Amino acid sequence: MIVKSKGIVLSYMKYGDTSIIARIFTEESGYGAYIVNSIRSQKSKKSIGYFQPFTILDLVLYVKETRDLQRISEFKSFYPLHHIHQDLVKSSITLFLTEVFSKLLQSEQSPNPELYKFAEESIKQFDLLDKGVSNFHLQFLLKIGPFLGYAIDDIDNLFSSTDKLVPSTENHEIMDALLKESYGYDFKMAREVKGILLDTILEYYQHHAHISKPKSLEVLRSVLH
């Protein structure tokens, strides 16, 4: 079956001599793995740069329900990103978020249009942000919860599920603001506080979604701090 869809690239790995397998969250088919043939060949007319993390593509897919690995027939840029891959802080946050997002999407094999719309709009806003950039990953992970069935609609829910962490009044207020404010919220906080808040969010998802600790976490910490 041929499916036309937008898709958000999360990662890719080399496959064979000239191809790749890309992990992509698509609007029409949900999360999946796709072969892109000959993209690493010297004769390829398309650049592998199309498959950088958080790139938003227009896709033509060959989808067969009995297969775990699908194929991409055609692709082109849907929305050019100008800053995410050039800025060190943004690119580090992107690598971290695409790793966590991939883990959270393991159960999203079927379409989730509302989640897709949220993710695409968030990426577009992130690319354009000029303030509050270092808070984006916290806000994204807080705001995405309801679309995945993990209702972080109240910060008390978040902290009550992580017994080891008892928030101070200040931390509670900061987290509540991060959840409710728009991207770009430029609240200055100490490095230790930001670390506590991120650990709390990750523990929440480790508890409810059973995800493992992100390998890119330490890289993110070293860049932001």
Side-chain angles (χ1 to χ4, degrees):
M1 177 174 64
I2 295 177
V3 176
K4 293 183 178 181
S5 179
K6 291 186 293 181
I8 297 167
V9 178
L10 299 176
S11 64
Y12 74 82
M13 59 183 292
K14 294 178 181 179
Y15 180 71
D17 293 331
T18 60
S19 302
I20 63 171
I21 295 175
R23 299 203 173 270
I24 303 175
F25 180 45
T26 70
E27 186 174 30
E28 299 297 327
S29 300
Y31 177 68
Y34 298 87
I35 295 176
V36 188
N37 287 322
S38 303
I39 186 70
R40 292 165 46 228
S41 166
Q42 291 183 350
K43 297 180 180 179
S44 176
K45 296 179 181 179
K46 295 277 185 83
S47 166
I48 202 168
Y50 280 95
F51 293 90
Q52 293 184 82
F54 271 171
T55 299
I56 305 169
L57 298 175
D58 246 334
L59 300 162
V60 178
L61 310 169
Y62 284 134
V63 177
K64 193 171 183 179
E65 292 184 4
T66 55
R67 276 200 224 156
D68 291 331
L69 193 58
Q70 310 297 342
R71 288 187 180 275
I72 294 178
S73 171
E74 299 175 28
F75 61 90
K76 62 182 180 180
S77 174
F78 173 76
Y79 182 89
L81 300 173
H82 300 290
H83 306 289
I84 283 178
H85 302 127
Q86 282 72 43
D87 181 277
L88 176 61
V89 172
K90 286 188 176 182
S91 62
S92 300
I93 290 172
T94 294
L95 286 174
F96 169 75
L97 284 180
T98 49
E99 182 184 356
V100 178
F101 196 20
S102 291
K103 293 175 185 292
L104 292 173
L105 284 171
Q106 294 297 323
S107 60
E108 293 293 323
Q109 306 298 323
S110 55
N112 187 334
E114 292 302 314
L115 173 59
Y116 180 86
K117 181 180 179 181
F118 165 81
E120 182 184 295
E121 290 304 315
S122 295
I123 293 166
K124 291 176 180 177
Q125 291 181 52
F126 183 41
D127 189 54
L128 298 174
L129 279 188
D130 56 8
K131 63 178 183 177
V133 171
S134 64
N135 294 334
F136 177 80
H137 59 299
L138 299 172
Q139 291 192 279
F140 182 88
L141 291 176
L142 286 170
K143 293 175 184 293
I144 204 171
F147 296 98
L148 291 161
Y150 308 114
I152 311 177
D153 51 356
D154 187 297
I155 291 303
D156 288 326
N157 295 344
L158 181 72
F159 282 109
S160 64
S161 69
T162 53
D163 324 315
K164 295 185 292 186
L165 296 169
V166 179
S168 66
T169 301
E170 180 187 9
N171 289 357
H172 189 288
E173 290 176 352
I174 293 171
M175 192 81 91
D176 192 54
L178 289 169
L179 173 63
K180 293 175 181 176
E181 296 289 340
S182 302
Y183 293 128
Y185 179 62
D186 198 19
F187 189 88
K188 305 296 182 186
M189 63 186 95
R191 176 179 64 183
E192 293 78 11
V193 172
K194 189 169 289 189
I196 289 170
L197 300 186
L198 179 56
D199 286 342
T200 302
I201 297 169
L202 290 176
E203 282 202 35
Y204 178 87
Y205 284 121
Q206 286 167 350
H207 176 75
H208 289 282
H210 309 292
I211 67 171
S212 57
K213 182 180 178 180
K215 294 178 181 178
S216 55
L217 179 60
E218 295 310 314
V219 175
L220 179 70
R221 289 194 199 280
S222 66
V223 171
L224 293 185
H225 303 148

